[in-house]
Amino acid sequence: MRRLYYSSGSFYTGDVVSKAVLRYARVLADTGKADIIAIPVVTDAGISGHAHVLVGPASQLFSIPVASEDEDPYDADIVDDLLQKTRALLPSRPTTPRTPQDALDLGDFDEA
């Protein structure tokens, strides 16, 4: 579990959620955009719920690990959504197969 600090407050969330939020915030900052996200959290009082967080170029976020015997707040759909939004903002990269499929088979090359 991690304590995620945001502005003048903080809350607990899962490791995976925290990493997804920080990655998304970094990409938003790089592109000059902002978004409001909802993530699963636990408050200092032990209340579970969702925090609505504005992330963008001016966000000052950081997280630290905390000891906890409770289960990490986690929501697979939210993490998947954050990862998809992050990927959508990253520059596209060409993909190629690991082994070229259109290369000549030099085993049949006949030297003259």
Side-chain angles (χ1 to χ4, degrees):
M1 188 174 303
R2 299 189 74 82
R3 180 182 284 268
L4 184 65
Y5 289 87
Y6 178 79
S7 189
S8 62
S10 66
F11 42 79
Y12 300 103
T13 193
D15 290 1
V16 174
V17 175
S18 177
K19 288 177 186 176
V21 169
L22 292 171
R23 287 180 183 136
Y24 186 43
R26 181 187 65 215
V27 172
L28 285 169
D30 289 345
T31 59
K33 297 181 179 183
D35 194 5
I36 297 173
I37 59 174
I39 59 170
V41 299
V42 175
T43 67
D44 287 331
I47 300 169
S48 295
H50 287 83
H52 297 102
V53 182
L54 172 64
V55 290
S59 294
Q60 295 181 358
L61 298 166
F62 70 95
S63 70
I64 60 171
V66 294
S68 174
E69 294 181 15
D70 296 327
E71 191 171 319
D72 281 5
Y74 178 75
D75 183 315
D77 292 335
I78 288 175
V79 171
D80 289 344
D81 184 54
L82 288 173
L83 294 175
Q84 287 176 8
K85 287 179 175 183
T86 301
R87 281 189 210 108
L89 292 172
L90 290 172
S92 62
R93 296 182 184 144
T95 58
T96 58
R98 290 192 184 274
T99 55
Q101 303 299 317
D102 59 348
L104 293 173
D105 181 2
L106 296 179
D108 293 332
F109 185 70
D110 187 20
E111 276 191 53

